[in-house]
Amino acid sequence: MNSMLRVMAACNRVKPGNPTACTDSAEALLLDAAASSPDLVLLPACALSSASCGDLFSSGELLDAASDQLDRLCSISAELSCFVVAGLPLSECGGAVSAAAVLHRGKLIGLLPDHDPPYGMQNTYSERFLPPDTVFSCGSLRFAVCPGNPERLLTRAAALQRTGFDLLLVPACAPVTAGSTQRCLEAARMVSRSLGCAVAVANGGVGESSSPHLYRGFAARQVYVPRWAHCDDNHAWVEVRCGGAWHFLGACEPEAVLDRGWFNSAAGRAVL
C-alpha cells in the first residue's frame, strides 16, 4: 500500500499571451521532474497563459490557443506516471474563466473553478466544472485542489473539511506584496493544523511582465515609459529598493546585476 505521496510544486516560465511558449516551458519542467518520479506535479494558476494578460483574456484566439495547449499537456502527461495539476484560462459563458485542470496518464480527469481569477476574467462557471469539494485518489491517499489566492485559503478549505483528504493542492498566481508571503505561509500552516493534512502551494509569476506577480520580500514599484525619445514605442519595468536607494531590473529579461538592461542607452536620452 502506498502511504506516501511525492509532490513537486513548481512554476514554469510564462510568456504573457503565448500559450504555446508557456506549455513549452511546462513540458521541459515535467520531463525534468520525471527523473525524480513524483506522484503529483503542481503548476500555478494560469500556467498556460500567464496571469497578466488582462484584456487579452477576452480574445477568442488566446482562449482557443490555451485550450489547444491543454490538449497538448494532456498528451504529454500520457508519458508520465504522475498526476499533473495546471491552471489555464478557458472560454465559459461568453467570457474567460480561470480553471485548474487535473490530468493523469493522458486523460483530463476534471476541471476545478478558480474563485480568485486575475483581472480580465469572470467568476461564473457551468456544470462542466467539478464541485469545489471534489477529492481525487492517488494510491491509498486522497487529495483535493483549491485554486485561488493562498491568503484566503483558510476560508476556502473550511468547506472541504468533511471530505477527508490527505493533501491540499493550491495552484495560484496571486500578486506578491510586502508581507503577503508570510501571510500565505501562515494560512497554509493553519489549514494543515486544523484539517490534519499536508498543503502544497505553487504561486506563479516567473516571466510575468508589467505586473506585481513576481516580486517579493522588498519594496518594488512599476516604472512605465509611454514613449521613448528615439522611437515611437513604450516599455515597462520594475525598480526595487535596496540599500536605501531605488535600482531597476529588466521586465521579462532581468540581468544578473541591478541597473543593467537593454534600455540603458534609451533611458539615458531622457530630458529629466
Side-chain angles (χ1 to χ4, degrees):
M1 180 176 66
N2 178 18
S3 59
M4 180 179 70
L5 289 180
R6 291 162 294 187
V7 181
M8 176 180 176
C11 297
N12 60 307
R13 179 171 291 277
V14 295
K15 187 172 183 180
N18 191 333
T20 299
C22 296
T23 309
D24 287 344
S25 176
E27 179 180 18
L29 189 153
L30 289 171
L31 295 179
D32 286 344
S36 301
S37 301
D39 299 299
L40 288 156
V41 176
L42 173 63
L43 299 176
C46 294
L48 303 189
S49 66
S50 98
S52 60
C53 292
D55 291 337
L56 284 178
F57 283 127
S58 63
S59 166
E61 291 184 4
L62 173 65
L63 299 178
D64 289 344
S67 182
D68 290 343
Q69 293 308 307
L70 176 60
D71 293 339
R72 176 187 164 196
L73 192 66
C74 200
S75 298
I76 294 168
S77 75
E79 305 300 321
L80 307 171
S81 60
C82 59
F83 282 85
V84 177
V85 178
L88 75 157
L90 291 173
S91 178
E92 181 76 7
C93 301
V97 297
S98 178
V102 181
L103 312 174
H104 187 234
R105 292 185 178 274
K107 294 182 179 180
L108 173 62
I109 305 301
L111 297 167
L112 279 300
D114 180 350
H115 292 289
D116 291 314
Y119 167 77
M121 291 191 179
Q122 61 186 24
N123 201 354
T124 304
Y125 298 88
S126 70
E127 294 180 354
R128 69 167 169 158
F129 288 84
L130 296 174
D133 60 353
T134 300
V135 174
F136 305 87
S137 295
C138 183
S140 63
L141 300 180
R142 290 151 59 87
F143 69 92
V145 181
C146 188
N149 190 328
E151 290 191 51
R152 303 189 182 102
L153 184 58
L154 191 59
T155 301
R156 296 282 165 77
L160 302 171
Q161 187 169 2
R162 297 182 180 180
T163 58
F165 56 86
D166 304 289
L167 170 66
L168 184 62
L169 301 178
V170 186
C173 204
V176 179
T177 56
S180 65
T181 299
Q182 186 59 38
R183 291 192 295 271
C184 291
L185 289 172
E186 185 57 31
R189 291 191 186 105
M190 292 179 66
V191 168
S192 181
R193 285 195 300 264
S194 62
L195 301 185
C197 66
V199 178
V201 179
N203 193 43
V206 179
E208 297 282 3
S209 175
S210 304
S211 79
H213 291 275
L214 181 57
Y215 308 99
R216 53 174 284 183
F218 44 79
R221 65 187 182 188
Q222 185 184 33
V223 182
Y224 179 66
V225 174
R227 189 173 186 274
W228 291 115
H230 68 289
C231 66
D232 186 15
D233 203 353
N234 58 66
H235 191 52
W237 62 90
V238 166
E239 290 185 346
V240 295
R241 185 79 173 176
C242 296
W246 289 98
H247 302 271
F248 70 83
L249 307 171
C252 289
E253 67 297 324
E255 297 284 350
V257 297
L258 296 173
D259 298 326
R260 181 189 298 170
W262 65 264
F263 48 86
N264 280 58
S265 176
R269 302 182 193 183
V271 296
L272 297 179

